[in-house]
Amino acid sequence: MIKPIELVIFDCDGVLVDSERIAARIQVALGAELGWPLTEAEVVDRFIGRSHAAIHEQVAVQLGPDTAAVWAARFEQLHREAVDAELAPVDGLPEALDALTLPTCVASSGSHDKMRHTLGRTGLYERFAGRIHSSTDVSRGKPAPDLFLHAAQQMGVDPEACVVVEDSQPGVHAARAAGMRAFGYAGGLTPAERLEGPDTVVFYDMRRLPNLIAERQSALHQAVPAHRL
């Protein structure tokens, strides 16, 4: 039986903070500079939703480990500068958080240092302090389920009672692999069709999220008596 929702797990980049456009722009520029020309669509397909380690591995295969190290260092520097200059919460996110009544946490492919920076710059860090989980906490990043299962365990909630809010294809795949329902936010860079799939609700306006979760919760409650019969 699918359990009622007890926990909402948020990805960070592209879901809480509008950082994916910044990251994609920088990756395209670095590719042109260092010898691996990439379009924004290719960056989304290869990099968005994946850990720094997974991106580093791809660059190393393409350009060699020395260039991959330069790429990573340059990305960290340029990303930090851009975050300081222009980062904002995802449109409608603060209102969505204010309206949610369920417990929440963060589970992101980004490092803890990166999330302290991005969430701190946007005034969101204190909303999640003590409930932030990174791919660096587990052995495998998204699309493996490890990070979401780790977050659920740390929060003391059964995976079947969790929903995940994601904006990337690896993220929604990881949620499904963890046995969790997903809400795919299609207001960013990833096309909606890449988020669609079993146990996934695709939406475009973050302000709708609380109502969508409430509707799913209500449907679950209505289904329980019939299931028990």
Side-chain angles (χ1 to χ4, degrees), residues 114-214:
K114 179 183 175 184
M115 285 187 279
R116 271 191 291 270
H117 185 220
T118 57
L119 294 175
R121 291 295 300 181
T122 51
L124 296 172
Y125 187 82
E126 291 305 319
R127 287 184 181 254
F128 295 100
R131 309 188 316 282
I132 299 174
H133 312 285
S134 165
S135 62
T136 59
D137 301 330
V138 296
S139 59
R140 300 183 301 168
K142 305 170 189 176
D146 302 32
L147 177 56
F148 291 140
L149 293 173
H150 169 76
Q153 181 183 48
Q154 293 297 305
M155 296 294 292
V157 177
D158 190 292
E160 289 187 4
C162 299
V163 296
V164 173
V165 186
E166 265 286 356
D167 72 316
S168 73
Q169 189 174 54
V172 292
H173 285 175
R176 293 174 199 142
M180 301 177 182
R181 290 149 286 175
F183 288 84
Y185 175 62
L189 295 179
T190 301
E193 58 268 22
R194 294 193 182 181
L195 302 174
E196 294 171 351
D199 296 320
T200 303
V201 174
V202 176
F203 69 107
Y204 293 85
D205 185 346
M206 194 59 72
R207 295 174 186 85
R208 292 196 61 214
L209 180 64
N211 285 339
L212 290 172
I213 292 176

Side-chain angles (χ1 to χ4, degrees), residues 92-102 104 127 206-211 213-214:
L93 186 278
E95 297 96 314
L97 290 179
D98 288 342
L100 278 174
T101 57
L102 290 164
T104 61
R127 287 184 181 254
M206 194 59 72
R207 295 174 186 85
R208 292 196 61 214
L209 180 64
N211 285 339
I213 292 176

Side-chain angles (χ1 to χ4, degrees), residues 18-55:
D18 196 10
S19 54
E20 297 292 37
R21 290 180 177 84
I22 294 173
R25 184 183 75 220
I26 294 171
Q27 298 286 27
V28 169
L30 286 174
E33 175 187 335
L34 297 175
W36 187 14
L38 292 165
T39 65
E40 182 181 90
E42 289 170 330
V43 166
V44 170
D45 186 51
R46 289 177 172 272
F47 296 163
I48 296 301
R50 301 187 185 274
S51 67
H52 289 302
I55 295 171

